[in-house]
Amino acid sequence: MGRCVRVMAGLLALVLLAGGAAAAMTRQEVYARVELLRQAGAGIFADPSLSASGKLACASCHVPGNAFGPVSGKAVEPGGPDLSLSGHRAVPSLTYTQAVPAFNEHMFDTDPYGDDSVDGGPSGGLTWDGRVDRTADQARIPLYSPVEMAASGPAAVAKALRAAPYAGLLRQSVGEGAFAQDEALVSLALSALEVYQQTPALFYPYSSKYDAYLQGKATLTAQEARGLALFNDEAKGNCASCHKSAMDMDGTPPQFTDYGLIALGVPRNRAIPANADPAFFDLGLCGPDRTDFKARADYCGLFRTPSLRNVALRKRFFHNGVFSDLTQAVAFYATRDTDPARWFPRKPDGTVEVFDDLPAPYRANLNMDPPFGGKVGDKPALNEAEIADIVAFLGTLTDGWRGSGAAHPSGG
């Protein structure tokens, strides 16, 4: 459903930008115009001339050969007019965002075996804090962000678009009138990016070993099968409570997220320049990037649950990129509460400064479902061997599996 809605939204935006009405175009004409936008979108995605530095494109951080995620291994990517600035959040993968629903403050379980009367709280929306719903609106954020592409305004972007190799495609799709108007041309380019990101073979191919397993075309190894069982076990990994692993009743492959926003209390990443200020905290849904819920203390510390598809290709984990290893990320879930000294720094008096990136007034928002919970020194829900099993299973979610046991990290 989410994919269909987004495709139709892209088609509608295309028709409106062309100055026509859907009834005035045949289906073939609509598809032809969408193909023009798709091709233009591919060019825009790879074009660094749209940035103030002339060196930063969408593809610089969202690398096609790495599931449209970063390859540098940095917690945050450099940007700005001279590539000397950075934001405070890790770059997410752009794969499997086609199904992300619009932001809603009230999520109800659609699992046929769940309780659909329970309000699960905020869910959906793009970006870590869910503040926009359309891919075109999401793309506008880094384009104008002073710490990312840092474009000075529509006039500068439109000038670059008109000089680009794909300018003819944009002109064909919209006509001379809108092509000559700066803001209309920028909006068209953002819609082109949206159409490009709806290319199934690239952005949601469902070509992992696990997809083949669900279709009866692959067999999990013993370790991968143990990892799947632990992933689903509510008393062990309990990962599937947020990262749905089962096919929908209509046969739709699992997205490995419920799109909910959740507070995990990951450690503060002191490699992020903004965190050098002890008064600065990235609180997700309640700010600073999102401002409409800044008065909602119960929303502070909540970030959207990402899909785990292609997670083994990630170089950084969680919203602040604090961990650089997948085993480390899984182990955090298992031992956050039973061994906090493993993750959090010590104060001058020697005590552990737990949840050092979430101010005390908001710690009631922390998720305590298994494998979280327990007291310091308790046996964790997962031991090291079980953590390794889950990591092995997560490796089956990488797209490009070719039946030999290995995946090709192409993102498509």
Side-chain angles (χ1 to χ4, degrees):
M1 177 64 72
R3 179 169 62 198
C4 294
V5 168
R6 289 192 180 279
V7 170
M8 291 308 298
L11 293 176
L12 178 59
L14 167 64
V15 171
L16 292 176
L17 281 167
M25 299 178 67
T26 67
R27 179 177 298 181
Q28 288 74 19
E29 288 171 332
V30 170
Y31 287 161
R33 197 158 296 184
V34 168
E35 178 56 21
L36 288 174
L37 280 189
R38 189 197 67 77
Q39 292 179 33
I44 294 166
F45 194 83
D47 187 358
S49 75
L50 304 179
S51 67
S53 67
K55 299 178 180 179
L56 191 64
C58 303
S60 301
C61 297
H62 300 286
V63 181
N66 198 57
F68 293 94
V71 297
S72 72
K74 297 175 181 176
V76 291
E77 297 293 319
D82 59 359
L83 300 184
S84 65
L85 304 176
S86 63
H88 48 265
R89 291 179 184 168
V91 175
S93 167
L94 293 182
T95 56
Y96 298 98
T97 59
Q98 89 292 343
V100 179
F103 177 80
N104 191 314
E105 288 191 71
H106 307 285
M107 175 178 68
F108 292 91
D109 196 345
T110 57
D111 187 317
Y113 304 105
D115 185 349
D116 61 6
S117 68
V118 176
D119 185 349
S123 71
L126 301 172
T127 74
W128 282 106
D129 54 21
R131 67 186 183 276
V132 294
D133 293 328
R134 281 192 58 196
T135 303
D137 295 326
Q138 181 278 320
R140 189 181 293 270
I141 295 173
L143 179 63
Y144 292 124
S145 169
V147 298
E148 296 185 69
M149 296 178 75
S152 59
V157 177
K159 180 180 179 181
L161 290 169
R162 293 187 185 106
Y166 49 78
L169 296 169
L170 291 173
R171 183 183 285 107
Q172 275 184 271
S173 65
V174 76
E176 289 293 343
F179 188 81
Q181 300 172 28
D182 291 348
E183 185 54 54
L185 182 55
V186 172
S187 294
L188 175 68
L190 296 173
S191 291
L193 283 172
E194 183 167 26
V195 172
Y196 171 61
Q197 290 180 58
Q198 291 167 353
T199 307
L202 295 177
F203 290 92
Y204 45 103
Y206 298 106
S207 60
S208 71
K209 181 179 182 180
Y210 187 67
D211 291 303
Y213 164 75
L214 291 177
Q215 297 165 20
K217 299 177 181 178
T219 302
L220 300 182
T221 67
Q223 185 179 29
E224 291 165 350
R226 291 195 304 270
L228 173 58
L230 291 163
F231 188 95
N232 291 333
D233 190 333
E234 294 180 0
K236 299 293 288 184
N238 196 32
C239 314
S241 63
C242 294
H243 299 282
K244 305 295 187 181
S245 61
M247 235 180 221
D248 287 350
M249 295 186 72
D250 63 0
T252 301
Q255 302 301 312
F256 280 88
T257 175
D258 64 357
Y259 310 109
L261 282 90
I262 190 172
L264 301 177
V266 296
R268 189 173 182 87
N269 188 347
R270 285 167 170 74
I272 294 176
N275 284 342
D277 179 358
F280 174 82
F281 290 94
D282 184 359
L283 298 176
L285 188 51
C286 80
D289 294 344
R290 185 164 188 165
T291 59
D292 50 339
F293 294 122
K294 63 182 180 181
R296 290 291 300 269
D298 55 329
Y299 283 177
C300 292
L302 275 63
F303 294 88
R304 187 168 64 76
T305 302
S307 171
L308 293 184
R309 286 181 171 274
N310 294 303
V311 70
L313 300 181
R314 298 287 299 167
K315 301 294 191 295
R316 287 285 173 169
F317 301 89
F318 300 108
H319 71 276
N320 62 358
V322 67
F323 298 138
S324 59
D325 178 80
L326 183 54
T327 297
Q328 194 178 31
V330 177
F332 172 75
Y333 282 90
T335 60
R336 182 194 73 179
D337 298 322
T338 59
D339 188 11
R342 180 175 176 180
W343 309 110
F344 300 102
R346 291 189 180 274
K347 301 176 184 178
D349 64 4
T351 59
V352 178
E353 188 179 359
V354 293
F355 308 122
D356 60 328
D357 207 28
L358 185 66
Y362 310 128
R363 292 175 189 170
N365 301 338
L366 286 166
N367 183 270
M368 297 302 295
D369 294 339
F372 296 134
K375 302 186 300 296
V376 175
D378 284 352
K379 181 180 178 181
L382 299 168
N383 60 38
E384 295 301 319
E386 291 170 329
I387 290 169
D389 290 345
I390 290 177
V391 171
F393 165 68
L394 292 174
T396 71
L397 304 183
T398 302
D399 284 320
W401 187 72
R402 294 173 174 172
S404 63
H408 179 65
S410 64

